[in-house]
Amino acid sequence: MRKNIVAGNWKMNKALEEGNSLASEIVNIVANEVKDDTIVVLNPPYIHLSSVQHLLKDAKQVFLGAQNCNENTSGAYTGEISVDMLKSVGVEYVILGHSERREYYKESNELLAKKVNTVLDNGLIPIFCCGESLKIREAGTHVDFVCNQLTDSLFHLSPEKFEKVVIAYEPIWAIGTGVTASTDQAQEMHAELRKHLASKYGDTIADETTILYGGSCKPDNAKELFANPDVDGGLIGGASLKSRDFVEIVKSF
Ligand code: PEP
């Protein structure tokens, strides 16, 4: 079902006590200030998941997410984290295919298709990231490029499985740069993605899919971005590291 979601991606930031403080502050402010129908997902580094989970216990609308997982369910994969481990510490969402993982760790559409399967088969919700580089946007092939990312990593899914997926459109040129996609650019791409989803899964499922925007989303531009009919919330990097900024974004619907 289509939902209003704001997810914070802490990336490789915050030591344990700092992470705990950030999570507690967010939980408290959300409980007092945020509408019940908005879902908040905190995605701290793996090492903080367990302690953050304890802080979320009584938070009705704040959920725990991971920033990645391995495509295998167990075995000799030194340094990797499995979905079972994530589930055992209360994780419900997993970010997959963030552009930093695609770029620095060479995650391909094919690998991401496997990760999507592992996450869904184990009852977790993937937040599947897609988005184009500046070069691709300037070449005018951005819509095809991003639609292809969806085709290659998601379109093998049955409609029942696909319905669980959350999509995050994150133009790479807007991530961490301070350059935000204009509301028109965000709406155009989100509408194109929905059209592409409809071509595979039909209008009803496409309409029910939650599509988040990510890329320099801040308290002062979130309202305008979230007002677009096809933008259902945000995946937030830098601004998720300050509780007040993050919650102001959460309140922007
Ligand atoms: C992100 O990395 O997912 C992101 C959107 O980062 P930022 O908000 O800092 O651009």
Side-chain angles (χ1 to χ4, degrees):
M1 203 180 87
R2 195 158 163 185
K3 296 180 179 133
N4 289 338
I5 299 179
V6 178
N9 175 13
W10 296 5
K11 309 193 184 187
M12 196 173 73
N13 292 295
K14 303 286 179 192
L16 184 61
E17 284 315 315
E18 295 168 327
N20 286 343
S21 304
L22 177 60
S24 308
E25 286 164 23
I26 291 171
V27 166
N28 287 336
I29 316 178
V30 166
N32 292 321
E33 299 184 18
V34 173
K35 286 189 237 158
D36 286 350
D37 59 353
T38 304
I39 289 176
V40 177
V41 185
L42 302 185
N43 300 265
Y46 288 139
I47 198 167
H48 302 346
L49 287 169
S50 186
S51 58
V52 170
Q53 186 217 1
H54 290 292
L55 301 167
L56 304 189
K57 274 212 172 102
D58 299 322
K60 287 196 301 286
Q61 60 194 116
V62 187
F63 297 88
L64 192 60
Q67 297 174 20
N68 181 31
C69 71
N70 192 271
E71 66 278 18
N72 299 293
T73 47
S74 66
Y77 302 100
T78 302
E80 290 294 290
I81 299 290
S82 73
V83 281
D84 268 352
M85 296 173 194
L86 297 179
K87 278 167 70 172
S88 73
V89 293
V91 164
E92 294 183 60
Y93 291 79
V94 185
I95 297 174
L96 292 178
H98 190 281
S99 64
E100 288 150 16
R101 295 217 56 90
R102 291 176 186 265
E103 184 182 351
Y104 306 142
Y105 305 101
K106 308 293 169 232
E107 294 197 356
S108 63
N109 290 346
E110 293 66 34
L111 173 69
L112 291 168
K114 290 185 192 160
K115 292 194 179 199
V116 166
N117 290 344
T118 305
V119 165
L120 287 170
D121 289 348
N122 288 280
L124 300 179
I125 301 169
I127 300 179
F128 180 80
C129 301
C130 54
E132 80 287 357
S133 65
L134 186 58
K135 199 163 154 212
I136 291 170
R137 178 155 283 261
E138 284 175 348
T141 53
H142 46 288
V143 172
D144 283 350
F145 179 86
V146 180
C147 285
N148 236 2
Q149 290 180 317
L150 301 192
T151 304
D152 287 356
S153 299
L154 299 177
F155 278 15
H156 62 283
L157 295 171
S158 66
E160 293 70 32
K161 281 269 162 73
F162 176 78
E163 278 176 323
K164 310 251 168 1
V165 176
V166 171
I167 291 173
Y169 167 59
E170 299 205 301
I172 299 170
W173 45 272
I175 296 178
T177 57
V179 179
T180 316
S182 68
T183 49
D184 287 351
Q185 285 171 320
Q187 170 55 28
E188 183 207 18
M189 183 61 93
H190 283 227
E192 289 289 350
L193 294 181
R194 225 178 272 289
K195 203 160 75 183
H196 188 54
L197 297 179
S199 73
K200 168 73 181 172
Y201 292 105
D203 288 340
T204 309
I205 289 182
D207 221 46
E208 287 295 311
T209 303
T210 302
I211 309 181
L212 311 180
Y213 167 80
S216 297
C217 186
K218 305 267 185 281
D220 60 4
N221 58 27
K223 219 179 199 76
E224 213 185 328
L225 285 161
F226 295 177
N228 282 304
D230 286 299
V231 177
D232 305 310
L235 178 55
I236 318 298
S240 74
L241 299 174
K242 289 192 182 140
S243 53
R244 184 36 76 187
D245 284 1
F246 182 63
V247 180
E248 286 309 317
I249 294 173
V250 174
K251 288 164 68 179
S252 298
F253 289 104

